[in-house]
Amino acid sequence: MKIETIAIHAGNVQDEATGAVIQPIVMSTTFERNEEGGYNSGYIYSRSTNPNRTSLENVLTKLEGGADAAAFSSGNAAGMAVFQSLKPGTHVILPDDMYHGLRNQVKNLFEGILEFDFIEINNTEVLQQHIKPNTGLIWIETPSNPLLKITDLKKVIAIAKTHNIKVACDNTFATPVFQQPLLLGADLVMHSSTKYFGGHSDLMGGVLITAEKNDWWTKIRQVQEMGGAIPSPMDCYYLVRSIKTLPYRMDGHAKNAQLLAEYLENHPKVERVLYPGLPSHPQYDIIQQQMNGFGGMLSVCIKGGEEESKRIINSLTLFAQATSLGGVESLIEHRASIEGPDTKTPRNLLRVSVGLEHIDDLIADMEKALG
């Protein structure tokens, strides 16, 4: 089936009791045993499993072409489950420009438990130099947040395989609509489902999808079930509903982002635009090889530095100045201010989550703010 069909049908279960074509929300925390003490339904306790979470995990598995999925209460909880599943002393290689929330999590919560290096992963020589006998995981984020850097997935995965190292990829920006890392050889894919999967800035969640059910995946599942950082049945239900429109929403996000990026790239007050769909992107050739589309995220560097960037962001009307991304409404943020003193983000960079408003209105709003 094509991805549009998978998005609509893989997470839906018709209700046999009523004939309802949409699965009901099962709020029960516990499920009745049969006379032999077993469970006819397969469900025991909602921290472990729940019908709505099963439906969500099924559609996510199918969208990424994986073997199984595990849903969490946030993207950070999903990321943490990966790091919690590793043996103490494991060395992890991570990108030097990765999402600051997970970067800070690793640095603050896993110091003394895991070893880690933040490097330029795309530099083959640097990557090879940092591989150690105890390296167990390479974490990839592509496109990266907020620099929109692209990692050559096939190249990094090939290096990892020669050293028997696992590869996990944060696929939040691209979504499975535009990129499927598991099909390129990654072992694990992570998403903040708060973003494009939810799509309306009103749900919190995270997910991991595995290429195969192995011992590592069993450990991750144990972290999910025993740790209990799981989404509620209501959240799972609404995520399944939102995912039904994901392919069509992503098509709209990408079209708007492409047109806005092209407009900004030609504006005299813009220093540069970072967007995978622009031929000026330094890794445009890699993008053509591993992505089916370019996504709805872009960053723009403004001439005049931080002061001018903040003037512009405060002059916009349709673009809400807010954290997060992936909703139907357009958001904009001075990212360096959010990331803190160790940020690698230029002080004149504005990160834009391009929404589904009419592109003419978005460009008009930006034109007025730029002056």
Side-chain angles (χ1 to χ4, degrees):
M1 290 190 294
K2 304 298 184 182
I3 197 166
E4 295 86 352
T5 309
I6 292 171
I8 292 171
H9 288 283
N12 195 49
V13 178
Q14 293 188 6
D15 184 37
E16 294 182 2
T18 64
V21 298
I22 300 299
Q23 184 180 22
I25 303 171
V26 180
M27 296 297 291
S28 181
T29 58
T30 192
F31 299 83
E32 189 174 20
R33 298 174 186 265
N34 58 29
E35 292 180 357
E36 289 75 33
Y39 293 89
N40 294 331
S41 67
Y43 295 101
I44 301 171
Y45 187 61
S46 272
R47 173 170 48 75
S48 299
T49 51
N50 172 277
N52 295 106
R53 195 159 85 240
T54 299
S55 295
L56 172 61
E57 291 172 347
N58 187 61
V59 68
L60 293 168
T61 300
K62 298 294 193 299
L63 286 172
E64 282 286 5
D68 198 14
F72 295 83
S73 54
S74 71
N76 268 25
M80 178 175 280
V82 176
F83 302 128
Q84 287 175 314
S85 71
L86 302 175
K87 293 181 180 179
T90 298
H91 177 241
V92 183
I93 296 175
L94 310 104
D96 56 1
D97 67 327
M98 74 182 291
Y99 165 57
H100 83 290
L102 282 176
R103 182 186 69 214
N104 292 340
Q105 180 190 108
V106 171
K107 291 170 64 176
N108 295 329
L109 300 184
F110 291 92
E111 184 178 8
I113 301 173
L114 300 175
E115 295 180 29
F116 41 86
D117 284 308
F118 298 90
I119 67 166
E120 173 50 72
I121 285 179
N122 251 343
N123 187 317
T124 301
E125 184 178 351
V126 171
L127 177 58
Q128 294 276 20
Q129 288 173 351
H130 282 84
I131 292 175
K132 304 177 180 180
N134 62 329
T135 302
L137 176 67
I138 297 175
W139 183 275
I140 294 173
E141 180 183 306
T142 183
S144 71
N145 181 5
L147 300 180
L148 280 299
K149 288 168 63 176
I150 304 298
T151 299
D152 187 333
L153 287 167
K154 288 184 178 179
K155 181 179 74 174
V156 173
I157 290 167
I159 293 171
K161 297 303 182 186
T162 62
H163 296 275
N164 198 30
I165 298 170
K166 300 293 187 183
V167 175
C169 179
D170 184 340
N171 201 31
T172 299
F173 270 25
T175 80
V177 176
F178 295 138
Q179 182 173 264
Q180 293 178 301
L182 297 183
L183 302 187
L184 297 175
D187 299 284
L188 196 69
V189 162
M190 173 261 179
H191 289 271
S192 171
S193 49
T194 308
K195 311 304 192 293
Y196 286 110
F197 285 152
H200 296 78
S201 302
D202 57 5
L203 289 171
M204 190 76 68
V207 63
L208 300 172
I209 305 106
T210 185
E212 61 176 294
K213 295 181 181 180
N214 50 25
D215 290 343
W216 186 34
W217 181 247
T218 298
K219 188 70 173 180
I220 289 173
R221 273 293 198 181
Q222 289 174 340
V223 173
Q224 180 206 32
E225 295 172 11
M226 297 177 184
I230 46 130
S232 70
M234 186 78 73
D235 285 346
C236 293
Y237 170 87
Y238 280 115
L239 269 172
V240 168
R241 188 178 75 163
S242 291
I243 286 170
K244 291 178 181 182
T245 61
L246 175 68
Y248 295 99
R249 284 189 286 107
M250 292 310 300
D251 183 58
H253 285 297
K255 286 180 179 178
N256 272 0
Q258 183 73 40
L259 292 171
L260 184 61
E262 291 172 356
Y263 160 77
L264 289 169
E265 190 171 47
N266 292 311
H267 198 284
K269 291 192 176 180
V270 170
E271 181 181 290
R272 62 174 175 149
V273 179
L274 307 173
Y275 181 64
L278 294 176
S280 58
H281 193 290
Q283 296 150 308
Y284 193 67
D285 57 334
I286 301 173
I287 293 164
Q288 298 294 313
Q289 296 171 29
Q290 69 185 38
M291 297 184 72
N292 301 318
F294 309 121
M297 296 299 300
L298 65 87
S299 290
V300 54
C301 294
I302 303 297
K303 293 179 181 178
E306 181 175 358
E307 183 177 346
E308 178 65 6
S309 301
K310 289 184 175 179
R311 183 199 67 77
I312 291 169
I313 203 173
N314 288 320
S315 301
L316 291 163
T317 302
L318 284 179
F319 293 83
Q321 187 175 170
T323 291
S324 199
L325 57 101
V328 295
E329 69 291 323
S330 293
L331 303 178
I332 193 165
E333 191 171 49
H334 184 257
R335 197 64 192 165
S337 298
I338 304 301
E339 293 182 345
D342 64 342
T343 180
K344 290 184 173 291
T345 301
R347 304 300 301 187
N348 66 335
L349 181 143
L350 300 177
R351 190 192 73 178
V352 186
S353 174
V354 185
L356 299 180
E357 302 92 343
H358 195 285
I359 187 59
D360 291 351
D361 295 324
L362 293 178
I363 289 177
D365 192 33
M366 193 65 75
E367 177 72 26
K368 181 181 178 181
L370 285 165

PDB file of all heavy atoms in Angstrom, residues 215-228:
ATOM      1  N   ASP A 215      17.404  -8.290  20.952  1.00  0.00           N
ATOM      2  CA  ASP A 215      17.604  -8.115  22.395  1.00  0.00           C
ATOM      3  C   ASP A 215      17.608  -6.635  22.783  1.00  0.00           C
ATOM      4  O   ASP A 215      17.115  -6.270  23.860  1.00  0.00           O
ATOM      5  CB  ASP A 215      18.922  -8.771  22.823  1.00  0.00           C
ATOM      6  CG  ASP A 215      18.873 -10.287  22.755  1.00  0.00           C
ATOM      7  OD1 ASP A 215      17.756 -10.841  22.700  1.00  0.00           O
ATOM      8  OD2 ASP A 215      19.946 -10.921  22.745  1.00  0.00           O
ATOM      9  N   TRP A 216      18.187  -5.804  21.919  1.00  0.00           N
ATOM     10  CA  TRP A 216      18.204  -4.364  22.221  1.00  0.00           C
ATOM     11  C   TRP A 216      16.782  -3.815  22.256  1.00  0.00           C
ATOM     12  O   TRP A 216      16.423  -3.042  23.150  1.00  0.00           O
ATOM     13  CB  TRP A 216      19.038  -3.631  21.167  1.00  0.00           C
ATOM     14  CG  TRP A 216      19.243  -2.166  21.461  1.00  0.00           C
ATOM     15  CD1 TRP A 216      19.368  -1.593  22.687  1.00  0.00           C
ATOM     16  CD2 TRP A 216      19.348  -1.102  20.514  1.00  0.00           C
ATOM     17  NE1 TRP A 216      19.549  -0.226  22.564  1.00  0.00           N
ATOM     18  CE2 TRP A 216      19.542   0.082  21.239  1.00  0.00           C
ATOM     19  CE3 TRP A 216      19.307  -1.063  19.124  1.00  0.00           C
ATOM     20  CZ2 TRP A 216      19.681   1.325  20.597  1.00  0.00           C
ATOM     21  CZ3 TRP A 216      19.466   0.166  18.493  1.00  0.00           C
ATOM     22  CH2 TRP A 216      19.646   1.344  19.224  1.00  0.00           C
ATOM     23  N   TRP A 217      15.960  -4.235  21.301  1.00  0.00           N
ATOM     24  CA  TRP A 217      14.580  -3.764  21.269  1.00  0.00           C
ATOM     25  C   TRP A 217      13.804  -4.263  22.491  1.00  0.00           C
ATOM     26  O   TRP A 217      12.979  -3.535  23.053  1.00  0.00           O
ATOM     27  CB  TRP A 217      13.880  -4.217  19.990  1.00  0.00           C
ATOM     28  CG  TRP A 217      12.461  -3.730  19.910  1.00  0.00           C
ATOM     29  CD1 TRP A 217      11.322  -4.472  19.953  1.00  0.00           C
ATOM     30  CD2 TRP A 217      12.045  -2.359  19.764  1.00  0.00           C
ATOM     31  NE1 TRP A 217      10.221  -3.668  19.848  1.00  0.00           N
ATOM     32  CE2 TRP A 217      10.633  -2.366  19.734  1.00  0.00           C
ATOM     33  CE3 TRP A 217      12.716  -1.147  19.670  1.00  0.00           C
ATOM     34  CZ2 TRP A 217       9.876  -1.194  19.605  1.00  0.00           C
ATOM     35  CZ3 TRP A 217      11.976   0.031  19.539  1.00  0.00           C
ATOM     36  CH2 TRP A 217      10.586   0.001  19.508  1.00  0.00           C
ATOM     37  N   THR A 218      14.076  -5.480  22.921  1.00  0.00           N
ATOM     38  CA  THR A 218      13.433  -5.999  24.138  1.00  0.00           C
ATOM     39  C   THR A 218      13.751  -5.108  25.338  1.00  0.00           C
ATOM     40  O   THR A 218      12.877  -4.810  26.161  1.00  0.00           O
ATOM     41  CB  THR A 218      13.891  -7.440  24.406  1.00  0.00           C
ATOM     42  OG1 THR A 218      13.486  -8.275  23.318  1.00  0.00           O
ATOM     43  CG2 THR A 218      13.293  -7.975  25.710  1.00  0.00           C
ATOM     44  N   LYS A 219      15.001  -4.677  25.425  1.00  0.00           N
ATOM     45  CA  LYS A 219      15.408  -3.785  26.521  1.00  0.00           C
ATOM     46  C   LYS A 219      14.682  -2.449  26.431  1.00  0.00           C
ATOM     47  O   LYS A 219      14.218  -1.903  27.445  1.00  0.00           O
ATOM     48  CB  LYS A 219      16.922  -3.574  26.469  1.00  0.00           C
ATOM     49  CG  LYS A 219      17.490  -2.816  27.657  1.00  0.00           C
ATOM     50  CD  LYS A 219      17.437  -3.640  28.921  1.00  0.00           C
ATOM     51  CE  LYS A 219      18.155  -2.954  30.067  1.00  0.00           C
ATOM     52  NZ  LYS A 219      18.120  -3.752  31.310  1.00  0.00           N
ATOM     53  N   ILE A 220      14.569  -1.893  25.237  1.00  0.00           N
ATOM     54  CA  ILE A 220      13.851  -0.624  25.055  1.00  0.00           C
ATOM     55  C   ILE A 220      12.392  -0.785  25.439  1.00  0.00           C
ATOM     56  O   ILE A 220      11.810   0.089  26.108  1.00  0.00           O
ATOM     57  CB  ILE A 220      13.997  -0.143  23.599  1.00  0.00           C
ATOM     58  CG1 ILE A 220      15.434   0.330  23.343  1.00  0.00           C
ATOM     59  CG2 ILE A 220      13.009   0.980  23.294  1.00  0.00           C
ATOM     60  CD1 ILE A 220      15.726   0.655  21.893  1.00  0.00           C
ATOM     61  N   ARG A 221      11.785  -1.883  25.056  1.00  0.00           N
ATOM     62  CA  ARG A 221      10.405  -2.158  25.443  1.00  0.00           C
ATOM     63  C   ARG A 221      10.253  -2.252  26.968  1.00  0.00           C
ATOM     64  O   ARG A 221       9.259  -1.782  27.544  1.00  0.00           O
ATOM     65  CB  ARG A 221       9.930  -3.459  24.800  1.00  0.00           C
ATOM     66  CG  ARG A 221       9.358  -3.325  23.408  1.00  0.00           C
ATOM     67  CD  ARG A 221       8.057  -2.548  23.414  1.00  0.00           C
ATOM     68  NE  ARG A 221       7.289  -2.747  22.200  1.00  0.00           N
ATOM     69  CZ  ARG A 221       6.132  -2.163  21.959  1.00  0.00           C
ATOM     70  NH1 ARG A 221       5.613  -1.335  22.851  1.00  0.00           N
ATOM     71  NH2 ARG A 221       5.478  -2.372  20.840  1.00  0.00           N
ATOM     72  N   GLN A 222      11.243  -2.831  27.622  1.00  0.00           N
ATOM     73  CA  GLN A 222      11.203  -2.907  29.084  1.00  0.00           C
ATOM     74  C   GLN A 222      11.277  -1.522  29.711  1.00  0.00           C
ATOM     75  O   GLN A 222      10.589  -1.243  30.709  1.00  0.00           O
ATOM     76  CB  GLN A 222      12.342  -3.787  29.589  1.00  0.00           C
ATOM     77  CG  GLN A 222      12.160  -5.258  29.298  1.00  0.00           C
ATOM     78  CD  GLN A 222      13.374  -6.095  29.683  1.00  0.00           C
ATOM     79  OE1 GLN A 222      14.489  -5.572  29.826  1.00  0.00           O
ATOM     80  NE2 GLN A 222      13.176  -7.390  29.834  1.00  0.00           N
ATOM     81  N   VAL A 223      12.096  -0.655  29.133  1.00  0.00           N
ATOM     82  CA  VAL A 223      12.172   0.723  29.628  1.00  0.00           C
ATOM     83  C   VAL A 223      10.812   1.397  29.476  1.00  0.00           C
ATOM     84  O   VAL A 223      10.340   2.097  30.380  1.00  0.00           O
ATOM     85  CB  VAL A 223      13.261   1.520  28.883  1.00  0.00           C
ATOM     86  CG1 VAL A 223      13.204   2.990  29.282  1.00  0.00           C
ATOM     87  CG2 VAL A 223      14.635   0.942  29.177  1.00  0.00           C
ATOM     88  N   GLN A 224      10.168   1.172  28.336  1.00  0.00           N
ATOM     89  CA  GLN A 224       8.853   1.767  28.107  1.00  0.00           C
ATOM     90  C   GLN A 224       7.819   1.250  29.114  1.00  0.00           C
ATOM     91  O   GLN A 224       7.108   2.028  29.762  1.00  0.00           O
ATOM     92  CB  GLN A 224       8.375   1.452  26.683  1.00  0.00           C
ATOM     93  CG  GLN A 224       6.998   2.030  26.354  1.00  0.00           C
ATOM     94  CD  GLN A 224       6.273   1.237  25.271  1.00  0.00           C
ATOM     95  OE1 GLN A 224       6.450   0.015  25.159  1.00  0.00           O
ATOM     96  NE2 GLN A 224       5.467   1.916  24.471  1.00  0.00           N
ATOM     97  N   GLU A 225       7.719  -0.068  29.243  1.00  0.00           N
ATOM     98  CA  GLU A 225       6.668  -0.669  30.050  1.00  0.00           C
ATOM     99  C   GLU A 225       6.919  -0.524  31.548  1.00  0.00           C
ATOM    100  O   GLU A 225       5.996  -0.259  32.323  1.00  0.00           O
ATOM    101  CB  GLU A 225       6.522  -2.144  29.677  1.00  0.00           C
ATOM    102  CG  GLU A 225       6.046  -2.345  28.242  1.00  0.00           C
ATOM    103  CD  GLU A 225       6.093  -3.799  27.815  1.00  0.00           C
ATOM    104  OE1 GLU A 225       6.284  -4.674  28.685  1.00  0.00           O
ATOM    105  OE2 GLU A 225       5.949  -4.061  26.604  1.00  0.00           O
ATOM    106  N   MET A 226       8.158  -0.705  31.973  1.00  0.00           N
ATOM    107  CA  MET A 226       8.470  -0.622  33.401  1.00  0.00           C
ATOM    108  C   MET A 226       8.650   0.820  33.855  1.00  0.00           C
ATOM    109  O   MET A 226       8.307   1.179  34.987  1.00  0.00           O
ATOM    110  CB  MET A 226       9.714  -1.449  33.722  1.00  0.00           C
ATOM    111  CG  MET A 226       9.545  -2.924  33.457  1.00  0.00           C
ATOM    112  SD  MET A 226      11.072  -3.857  33.776  1.00  0.00           S
ATOM    113  CE  MET A 226      10.565  -5.491  33.254  1.00  0.00           C
ATOM    114  N   GLY A 227       9.208   1.648  32.976  1.00  0.00           N
ATOM    115  CA  GLY A 227       9.379   3.059  33.322  1.00  0.00           C
ATOM    116  C   GLY A 227       8.079   3.823  33.289  1.00  0.00           C
ATOM    117  O   GLY A 227       7.864   4.743  34.086  1.00  0.00           O
ATOM    118  N   GLY A 228       7.204   3.454  32.354  1.00  0.00           N
ATOM    119  CA  GLY A 228       5.863   4.016  32.341  1.00  0.00           C
ATOM    120  C   GLY A 228       5.708   5.395  31.729  1.00  0.00           C
ATOM    121  O   GLY A 228       4.671   6.035  31.911  1.00  0.00           O
TER     122      GLY A 228
END
